[in-house]
Coordinates of all heavy atoms in Angstrom, one line a residue:
E983 N 0.8 -1.3 0.0 CA 0.0 0.0 0.0 C 0.8 1.3 0.0 O 0.4 2.5 -0.1 CB -1.0 0.0 1.2 CG -1.9 -1.1 1.2 CD -3.0 -1.1 2.2 OE1 -3.2 0.1 2.9 OE2 -3.7 -2.0 2.4
G984 N 2.1 1.1 0.2 CA 3.0 2.3 0.1 C 2.8 3.3 1.2 O 3.1 4.6 1.0
Q985 N 2.2 2.9 2.3 CA 1.9 3.9 3.4 C 3.1 4.0 4.4 O 3.8 3.1 4.6 CB 0.6 3.6 4.1 CG -0.6 3.5 3.1 CD -1.9 3.5 3.8 OE1 -2.2 4.2 4.8 NE2 -2.7 2.4 3.5
N986 N 3.1 5.1 5.1 CA 4.0 5.2 6.1 C 3.6 4.4 7.4 O 2.5 4.8 7.9 CB 4.1 6.7 6.7 CG 5.1 6.9 7.7 OD1 5.7 6.1 8.3 ND2 5.2 8.1 8.3
P987 N 4.3 3.4 7.8 CA 3.8 2.4 8.8 C 3.8 3.1 10.2 O 3.3 2.5 11.2 CB 4.8 1.3 8.7 CG 6.0 1.8 8.1 CD 5.5 2.9 7.2
L988 N 4.6 4.2 10.4 CA 4.8 4.7 11.8 C 3.4 5.0 12.5 O 3.2 4.7 13.6 CB 5.6 6.0 11.9 CG 5.8 6.6 13.2 CD1 6.5 5.6 14.1 CD2 6.8 7.8 13.1
P989 N 2.5 5.7 11.8 CA 1.1 6.0 12.4 C 0.4 4.6 12.8 O -0.2 4.6 14.0 CB 0.3 6.7 11.4 CG 1.4 7.4 10.6 CD 2.5 6.4 10.5
F990 N 0.6 3.7 12.0 CA -0.1 2.4 12.4 C 0.6 1.7 13.6 O 0.0 1.1 14.5 CB -0.1 1.4 11.2 CG -0.8 1.8 10.1 CD1 -0.2 2.1 9.0 CD2 -2.2 2.1 10.2 CE1 -0.9 2.5 7.7 CE2 -2.8 2.5 9.1 CZ -2.3 2.7 7.9
A991 N 2.0 1.9 13.8 CA 2.7 1.3 15.0 C 2.2 2.1 16.2 O 2.0 1.5 17.2 CB 4.1 1.6 14.8
L992 N 2.1 3.4 16.1 CA 1.7 4.1 17.3 C 0.2 3.8 17.6 O -0.2 3.7 18.8 CB 1.6 5.6 17.1 CG 3.2 6.1 16.9 CD1 3.2 7.6 16.6 CD2 4.0 5.9 18.2
A993 N -0.6 3.7 16.6 CA -2.2 3.3 16.8 C -2.2 2.0 17.5 O -3.0 1.8 18.3 CB -2.8 3.2 15.4
E994 N -1.3 1.0 17.3 CA -1.4 -0.3 17.9 C -1.1 -0.1 19.4 O -1.7 -0.9 20.3 CB -0.3 -1.2 17.3 CG -0.4 -2.7 17.8 CD -1.6 -3.4 17.3 OE1 -1.9 -3.2 16.1 OE2 -2.1 -4.2 18.1
L995 N -0.1 0.7 19.8 CA 0.2 1.1 21.2 C -1.1 1.7 21.8 O -1.4 1.3 23.1 CB 1.4 1.8 21.4 CG 2.7 1.1 20.7 CD1 3.8 2.0 21.0 CD2 2.9 -0.3 21.4
I996 N -1.6 2.6 21.1 CA -2.9 3.2 21.7 C -4.1 2.3 21.9 O -4.9 2.4 22.9 CB -3.2 4.4 20.8 CG1 -2.1 5.4 20.8 CG2 -4.5 5.2 21.3 CD1 -2.3 6.6 19.7
D997 N -4.2 1.4 21.0 CA -5.2 0.4 21.0 C -5.2 -0.4 22.2 O -6.2 -0.8 22.8 CB -5.1 -0.5 19.7 CG -6.4 -1.4 19.6 OD1 -7.5 -0.9 19.6 OD2 -6.3 -2.6 19.7
N998 N -4.0 -0.7 22.7 CA -3.8 -1.5 23.8 C -4.4 -0.7 25.1 O -5.1 -1.3 26.0 CB -2.3 -1.8 24.2 CG -1.8 -2.9 23.3 OD1 -2.5 -3.7 22.7 ND2 -0.4 -2.9 23.1
S999 N -4.2 0.6 25.2 CA -4.6 1.4 26.1 C -6.1 1.6 26.1 O -6.8 1.7 27.0 CB -3.9 2.9 26.1 OG -2.6 2.7 26.5
L1000 N -6.7 1.7 24.8 CA -8.1 1.9 24.6 C -8.8 0.5 25.2 O -9.9 0.8 25.9 CB -8.5 2.0 23.1 CG -8.1 3.3 22.5 CD1 -8.4 3.3 21.0 CD2 -9.0 4.4 23.1
S1001 N -8.3 -0.5 24.9 CA -8.8 -1.9 25.4 C -8.8 -1.8 27.0 O -9.7 -2.3 27.7 CB -8.1 -3.0 24.8 OG -8.4 -3.0 23.5
A1002 N -7.6 -1.4 27.5 CA -7.4 -1.5 29.0 C -8.3 -0.5 29.7 O -8.7 -0.8 30.9 CB -6.0 -1.1 29.3
T1003 N -8.7 0.6 29.1 CA -9.5 1.6 29.7 C -10.9 1.4 29.4 O -11.8 2.3 29.8 CB -9.0 3.1 29.6 OG1 -9.1 3.2 28.1 CG2 -7.6 3.2 29.9
S1004 N -11.4 0.5 28.6 CA -12.7 0.4 28.1 C -13.8 0.3 29.2 O -14.9 0.6 29.0 CB -12.8 -0.8 27.0 OG -12.6 -2.0 27.6
R1005 N -13.4 -0.2 30.3 CA -14.4 -0.5 31.5 C -14.2 0.4 32.5 O -14.7 0.3 33.7 CB -14.1 -2.0 32.0 CG -14.5 -3.1 31.0 CD -14.4 -4.4 31.7 NE -14.7 -5.5 30.7 CZ -14.7 -6.8 30.9 NH1 -14.5 -7.2 32.2 NH2 -15.0 -7.7 30.0
N1006 N -13.4 1.6 32.3 CA -13.2 2.6 33.4 C -14.7 3.2 33.7 O -15.4 3.5 32.7 CB -12.3 3.6 32.9 CG -10.8 3.2 33.0 OD1 -10.5 2.0 33.0 ND2 -10.0 4.2 33.0
T1007 N -14.9 3.4 34.9 CA -16.2 4.1 35.3 C -15.9 5.6 35.3 O -17.0 6.3 35.3 CB -16.7 3.7 36.7 OG1 -15.6 3.8 37.6 CG2 -17.0 2.1 36.6
G1008 N -14.8 6.1 35.5 CA -14.4 7.4 35.4 C -13.8 7.8 34.0 O -14.0 7.4 33.1
I1009 N -12.9 8.8 34.3 CA -12.2 9.3 33.0 C -11.1 8.3 32.6 O -10.5 7.6 33.4 CB -11.4 10.7 33.4 CG1 -12.4 11.7 33.8 CG2 -10.6 11.0 32.4 CD1 -11.7 12.9 34.3

């Protein structure tokens, strides 16, 4: 696809945090 993979690499790390915080009752 000829895309810059760096944003996808950072997105993968953020995705771990999105999953980890998905059940937070607060912020």
Side-chain angles (χ1 to χ4, degrees):
E983 296 188 13
Q985 298 191 51
N986 177 4
L988 182 58
F990 297 118
L992 294 178
E994 186 71 36
L995 301 179
I996 298 170
D997 186 62
N998 287 336
S999 292
L1000 286 173
S1001 297
T1003 59
S1004 62
R1005 295 185 179 181
N1006 284 20
T1007 55
I1009 294 175

